[in-house]
Amino acid sequence: MARRGDGDPARRITDVTLALLESEGYEAVQLRAVARLAHVSLSTVYKLYPTRDDLVLAAVAHWMATNTYTALEPPRAGETLAQVLTRVIRYVFEPWERYPRMLAAYHHARSGPGGQRLDNQGFAAVLPAIAPLLATLDEDYAADLALVLSNMVYALLGRFAHGDLAITEILPALERAVVRLTADNAPLAAAVDQAVTAEVTELAWNAEFGSPYSPGTATDES
């Protein structure tokens, strides 16, 4: 019996591309190597996927449909906004944690030509499940939540792809952001009134701040 996809060149090419992405990473995907491993001609690869970006984009979209956007449950009775958002974030990102090279490939594909396709795919899978909850929120508040979280995701993925953030730090950072965005922060903010009358001391750098840039130390080379 023929193996799955044996009669479909596009599927064989996608399967080979995913295998390379998962085992060796984005840089391992070269059209000539993909053609050889998929047992198709290079012209067939170019006909289906004119560039490496097109090929990786298609492969990542297929991987997402199979691994990350499968069956998201709608809000449950009694769940708070923070609980729903946290559950959705974990649902989306836990598969990426198990396949970090695929997340790096996603970042490359998302940042390149046609990358909006991946955003649209994610929104199409997630929004129907959480739309009933979002519809109960103030419109401006819901828009601000989306703005902050979506930009945080993009920044965190960029830091991960550039090698200065561990993949296991992404989820905790997003979960802390959800807590802050949905909690009453007035008591914490009110502490500023007391701080301005206190003696000012130098702020010690804390890696938990999660800044994309560290101020470094006095011994760092300029």
Side-chain angles (χ1 to χ4, degrees):
M1 185 175 70
R3 290 173 299 175
R4 185 180 63 177
D6 276 359
D8 182 357
R11 181 57 183 272
R12 292 206 305 274
I13 291 169
T14 299
D15 286 347
V16 165
T17 302
L18 286 175
L20 288 171
L21 289 172
E22 290 179 5
S23 63
E24 301 180 50
Y26 175 82
E27 296 301 330
V29 178
Q30 303 295 331
L31 298 187
R32 190 175 298 278
V34 169
R36 176 175 53 81
L37 293 170
H39 303 291
V40 298
S41 67
L42 185 59
S43 61
T44 297
V45 176
Y46 275 114
K47 181 178 180 181
L48 293 169
Y49 307 105
T51 69
R52 181 169 71 159
D53 286 334
D54 294 324
L55 176 56
V56 172
L57 184 64
V60 171
H62 177 75
W63 189 92
M64 288 169 58
T66 304
N67 293 275
T68 62
Y69 300 124
T70 52
L72 176 60
E73 295 181 23
R76 303 161 185 164
E79 273 190 309
T80 65
L81 175 61
Q83 289 171 333
V84 173
L85 291 176
T86 298
R87 183 161 58 83
V88 169
I89 288 170
R90 288 175 180 170
Y91 163 84
V92 171
F93 278 95
E94 283 178 347
W96 294 116
E97 281 192 347
R98 296 192 294 270
Y99 297 93
R101 286 195 177 100
M102 287 304 304
L103 185 57
Y106 168 88
H107 178 73
H108 280 289
R110 167 62 184 79
S111 304
Q116 186 66 37
R117 168 185 172 184
L118 300 181
D119 283 348
N120 294 340
Q121 182 176 345
F123 292 146
V126 170
L127 286 181
I130 63 173
L133 179 64
L134 294 180
T136 66
L137 302 177
D138 175 82
E139 185 176 342
D140 289 338
Y141 177 58
D144 288 343
L145 277 175
L147 177 67
V148 172
L149 291 176
S150 61
N151 279 281
M152 267 201 74
V153 168
Y154 192 77
L156 291 168
L157 293 192
R159 292 187 61 198
F160 162 73
H162 284 89
D164 66 346
L165 184 74
I167 194 169
T168 53
E169 294 183 64
I170 295 176
L171 263 177
L174 291 173
E175 290 173 357
R176 290 199 305 272
V178 166
V179 170
R180 294 302 182 195
L181 290 169
T182 58
D184 178 9
N185 294 297
L188 296 174
V192 173
D193 294 334
Q194 302 173 12
V196 295
T197 60
E199 182 179 352
V200 177
T201 58
E202 183 178 353
L203 177 65
W205 176 254
N206 185 336
E208 289 299 313
F209 290 166
S211 169
Y213 304 104
S214 167
T217 66
T219 59
D220 289 342
E221 295 182 1
S222 57

